Amino acid sequence: MVLAAGTGTDVVRAILQGTPPGAVYALVALGFVLTYKTSGVFNLAFGAQAFVSAAMFFQARVEWGWSTVPALVLAVFVLAPLTGLLMERLIFRHLRTASAVSKLVVAIGLSVALPSLFETLTGFAGVAGRTPEGLVPDGATVFYDPLGVYPFSRDELVALGVAVVGMLGLGALFRFSSIGLAMRAVVESPRMTELAGIDADRVSSVAWMLSSFFAGMAGVLIAPRFNTLMAPDFFHLVVVAVAAAAIGRLVSLPRALIGGLGLGIFIALFRTFLPRWSADHPWLEPFQNNLTPSMPFVVLFGVLVLWPAIRRSPAAADPLSGVDPPPPSLVSATRSAVLTRAARVFGVCFLLLVGLTVWFRGDVVWVHLVTQATIMSLILLSVTVITGLAGQISLCQGTFAAIGALTVFQLADRWDVSVLAAALVGAVIAAVVGALLSIPVLRLGGIWLAIATLAFAFFFDAVMLKFSWVGGGDSALLQGHRVPRPVLGPWDLADDRRFLVLVVVVFALVSVFVIRIREGTTGLILRGLRGSEVAAESVGVSPARARMLAFAISAAIAGLGGGLLAIHQENVNYGNNFTPMAALFWVVLVVTLSARTVEGAAQAGAAFSLFNSVILRGDGIGWITRGHLPGFFPLSPKWRFVLFGLASIQFARHPEGLVEHGKRRATAGMDARLAARRERAEPGAASSTAQQDPPSPDPSKVAAVGKQP
Amino acid sequence: MTPALELLNVEAGYGPFRALFGVTISVPAGGAVALLGANGAGKTTVARVASGLLEPSAGSVLVDGRDLTGERTFRFARAGVAHAPEGRSVFATFTVEENLTLSFQRLLGSDGLDDGLERAYSIFPRLGERRRQVAGTLSGGEQRMLSMARVLVEAPSVLVADELSLGLAPIVTDEIYATLEAIRASGTAMLIVEQHVGHALALCEHVVLLDKGTVAWEGPADEAADVVVSRLFEKSGG
Ligand SMILES: Nc1ncnc2c1ncn2[C@@H]1O[C@H](COP(=O)(O)OP(=O)(O)OP(=O)(O)O)[C@@H](O)[C@H]1O
Ligand SMILES: [Mg+2]
């Protein structure tokens, strides 16, 4: 390619243009790495924290009319560290020994809960169509051009300045004070740190306050770059930060800094040059429009998949881990016979009752809601398969469901295919995509799998959706994707009740399928894999095959559910149903209730669709009290996110799910009585107490003693 | 005189597993007690209770007469208990110097830090040669030296050492014991868990023999040799 004259200037301009956002990315990445380094928490709630500070700043400046300095102090210097302190004190301090994946789930729960909690507490409403306030007046309209190449806006200069000061401050703190060393020590072994007389709890509180301060600062700085002030934008920000942090393998602060700056500059260069290349090469054009916004996700995905070293995190094991008692055996894999039977009987009766009530008494709204709940249960069964059975956290289930829904739309729209057939095709396509995705991603495992699937979800959201053969082009994205209701033989399923029957039948079939998988060989293999990969491999089980199967099945179920949801709503409604943020909430719901059982998915589906109207709006209470609602109803629908998000914190302690845990405890007594009765019937059959035999003395030691005169 | 370290009727365990059943051990100020016993007898568990790493489920732990039962580990350290844990207990991602710095900073302040480092390197010249090396890549013996250096440089009021000669060359072990003698002379009380019974008996005047989580015998060091031999041989014979 012949370089046009002035290319050098363009490069310089792009670098200058990319530096201010790059500096803010670097700031977020630093904070993110700080948390990861000092607590082992992959803090996906970082974006939520940034949002809370940005929203607080906005609220104080605009709603309450405060001037900049007090608003900044409140939002960044008080609220942000306080949030971090509370998160550490109340939650993560108690999870020090929990697995990285459990901590990740907790962070996901928090990232769902925090923005809604803030919004309900302060009455803040997401601001759309209005550029949030910056730190300086006229930040976006006054420009300075020191080099005569690129005019910096005031906001950009402020962001750059603050970011540089922040980085220098952090560097100095680590260089000249002992706290930096202590923070690193606490990650490696809080116990050894305490043996040196250092209060490990205080050190990690300080680390959380500091990194949260960075989150808050970055939130306020980045806000003017958006034209809205809503939580999802900030979640986006944290994914960018993860990409930058991944370049430093999540532990190196200087490299995270370079990663952030580099990402900002890289994106600016891309923006400058891609349009020119695509002028010469027309095939580049679709990428030009689509790839730029998703650069961070592509980078993140690429780094994760192509750079195996990142997975071997250099973190060392705690030399004093011998003080911990052995982990409890995998209780989550088994369920007692009593509970299984009771749950089945109760579940069937309950469903019959609800079904009959809805069928004969329910009005249009109720039939609609129950249909929605059933379809959501179906979609959430896909989480049961991947998370409950395979033990992996996938954050792109929304994308699989979207693939199913969009397939239905495309096939029906273009070729007039029956929507039910199209839903099946959608499931197959989702399965294929899932299987393909699983090839690079499943090797990752643990938190990396979660992050890679998240990157994929964002990539689909930012890039694939824009292709007309996926998202239906601009008109469809604007006007919605109309999907007709099917006719099945003599039944016109435009009738809501008939459609409900169809949906229930599909859900029942898929449930039976999932149960058979769980109890069958594949389930057995997957259960073994949850215990130990090496052990499973050594008995000849191929972890890759079983996991790939789980991934594909899970994707297919999500795709089928997504298709049905589109048929039900007679529209795809991508933005409401399938965004990456929505999918986060699905995972939170399922792990909160019960990750391994079909009933857990059903409860989660019901909670997703009905919690709002039955509990929060007060319909449930109103029905019981015959219309006398206490004054505090209706509650904000946001409580749904707050409650379930916070409840998922329990995941680390009860990986079988909170509700499941409660149920097991409730039936534990009955189990014990049953076991006792059985033992009376056939004495000696049950195993004896847990008393261990004392180990016999080590011969080598005896020899050493014997050598003494 | 109040004992430097006292364990009174301590019971302790790991989750559902019970490891100690009513152990009472007292280390007088300036005294040295050797803790002997077969593998799995509970010696390491006693050491962990003594330094606050493990909270006893019953009984109490007193340091210089002060009841520290249930306190956090760093309070034990600040009360003067230094613990050299069993095995390779170093910060693996830190350099040798950073490992030492972390331990000395609180004790010596930033002014005394360099002096402390020098003393550590003079006790263990090998560490001085490798001060910039990442501790995780040190040999096993060097890692033991490092964790010993952390507790030997500034004499604590109580030293709890768990199998400190394990994996060290005899010469180095002799050196460490020479240093321990010197520290003892400066008034440090000691609870020593040791495989090399000879070294332990030479250093300590009192011996506690642990068996299946209880104190099976205790008495002065000069009587201990026979008891230890007979007891352990009896066991392996029967
Ligand atoms: N983290 C743990 N979880 C469960 N049991 C443990 C744990 N650590 C030690 N034990 C058990 O407690 C008992 C006492 O162990 P301890 O380590 O105190 O023995 P020890 O006397 O130090 O043995 P050794 O000479 O082998 O070091 C042993 O039976 C051991 O199996
Ligand atoms: Mg031991």
Side-chain angles (χ1 to χ4, degrees), chain B residues 75-149:
Chain B
R75 297 250 174 244
F76 281 74
R78 291 192 184 172
V81 181
H83 181 179
E86 193 179 35
R88 303 182 170 200
S89 48
V90 297
F91 290 102
T93 62
F94 284 29
T95 63
V96 169
E97 191 144 318
E98 283 171 336
N99 263 290
L100 294 173
T101 305
L102 189 79
S103 306
F104 296 162
Q105 225 154 26
R106 190 187 55 87
L107 290 170
L108 307 173
S110 47
D111 300 332
L113 183 61
D114 286 337
D115 181 43
L117 290 175
E118 280 321 307
R119 267 188 287 158
Y121 297 146
S122 67
I123 301 176
F124 299 108
R126 281 200 69 78
L127 295 182
E129 292 162 23
R130 303 181 170 264
R131 58 178 80 186
R132 306 244 170 274
Q133 190 170 334
V134 174
T137 63
L138 292 175
S139 78
E142 287 164 344
Q143 293 190 14
R144 288 300 298 162
M145 289 183 208
L146 181 53
S147 54
M148 285 316 296

Side-chain angles (χ1 to χ4, degrees), chain A residues 12-21 150 152 156 225 264 268 271-272:
Chain A
V12 174
R13 181 178 303 137
I15 290 175
L16 291 182
Q17 184 188 2
T19 305
Y150 174 77
F152 287 105
E156 282 176 331
R225 298 186 72 87
R271 282 223 176 105
T272 311

Side-chain angles (χ1 to χ4, degrees), chain B residues 43-45 86 162-163 193:
Chain B
K43 305 181 296 291
T44 299
T45 311
E86 193 179 35
D162 195 352
E163 317 230 332
V193 177

Side-chain angles (χ1 to χ4, degrees), chain A residues 93 177-179 181-182 184-186 188-202 314-317 319-326 690-692 694-706 708-709, chain B residues 14-17 21 37-40 43 48 51 53-54 72-75 77-78 81 83 85-86 88-95 98-99 101-103 105-106 150 163 195-198 212 225-226 228-229 232-233 235-236:
Chain A
R93 174 176 294 182
S177 85
S178 57
I179 187 87
L181 201 59
R184 282 172 53 203
V186 170
E188 202 168 317
S189 170
R191 291 201 181 92
M192 287 231 299
T193 314
E194 294 232 327
L195 281 184
I198 296 167
D199 183 347
D201 284 354
R202 227 193 62 203
L320 288 183
S321 57
V323 180
D324 289 320
Q691 185 65 48
Q692 275 178 289
S696 58
D698 183 352
S700 70
K701 222 179 213 181
V702 177
V705 173
Q708 297 304 320
Chain B
Y14 304 88
F17 182 85
F21 305 89
N39 288 130
K43 305 181 296 291
R48 284 170 178 166
S51 66
L53 280 174
L54 196 63
R72 305 247 316 277
T73 311
F74 79 96
R75 297 250 174 244
R78 291 192 184 172
V81 181
H83 181 179
E86 193 179 35
R88 303 182 170 200
S89 48
V90 297
F91 290 102
T93 62
F94 284 29
T95 63
E98 283 171 336
N99 263 290
T101 305
L102 189 79
S103 306
Q105 225 154 26
R106 190 187 55 87
R150 289 209 315 252
E163 317 230 332
Q195 304 267 355
H196 270 274
V197 178
K212 292 182 207 162
D226 303 333
V228 169
V229 171
L232 290 183
F233 271 124
K235 263 245 213 85
S236 65

Side-chain angles (χ1 to χ4, degrees), chain B residues 155-190:
Chain B
S157 64
V158 186
L159 173 66
V160 180
D162 195 352
E163 317 230 332
L164 42 78
S165 67
L166 191 71
L168 289 180
I171 293 188
V172 182
T173 312
D174 291 345
E175 247 171 74
I176 290 186
Y177 272 89
T179 319
L180 285 181
E181 292 285 2
I183 294 182
R184 244 206 97 173
S186 74
T188 296
M190 298 184 176

Side-chain angles (χ1 to χ4, degrees), chain A residues 20 59 80 145 172 199 258 303 319 335 404 446 479 630 649 652 665 673 676:
Chain A
Q59 183 91 346
D145 194 352
D199 183 347
I258 294 169
V303 167
R335 203 175 189 195
Q479 290 153 20
I649 293 168
R665 239 197 4 216
R673 273 198 297 281

Side-chain angles (χ1 to χ4, degrees), chain A residues 41 90-109 327-328 330-332 393 530 588 591-592 645-658 661:
Chain A
V41 177
L90 302 181
I91 301 167
F92 288 108
R93 174 176 294 182
H94 310 285
L95 302 182
R96 278 220 188 106
T97 53
S99 74
V101 170
S102 318
K103 291 183 197 162
L104 177 73
V105 171
V106 172
I108 292 172
L330 258 183
V331 284
S332 49
I393 302 291
R530 285 168 64 112
V588 164
V591 300
T592 305
L646 291 181
S648 74
I649 293 168
Q650 288 296 325
F651 176 74
R653 235 167 281 160
H654 307 298
E656 73 273 25
L658 199 57
H661 171 72

Side-chain angles (χ1 to χ4, degrees), chain A residues 146-207:
Chain A
L147 303 179
V149 184
Y150 174 77
F152 287 105
S153 75
R154 248 190 201 180
D155 275 337
E156 282 176 331
L157 285 180
V158 168
L160 197 56
V162 172
V164 168
V165 170
M167 290 166 206
L168 290 180
L170 191 67
L173 189 71
F174 269 64
R175 180 76 189 71
F176 298 112
S177 85
S178 57
I179 187 87
L181 201 59
M183 281 182 192
R184 282 172 53 203
V186 170
V187 199
E188 202 168 317
S189 170
R191 291 201 181 92
M192 287 231 299
T193 314
E194 294 232 327
L195 281 184
I198 296 167
D199 183 347
D201 284 354
R202 227 193 62 203
V203 171
S204 57
S205 291
V206 170

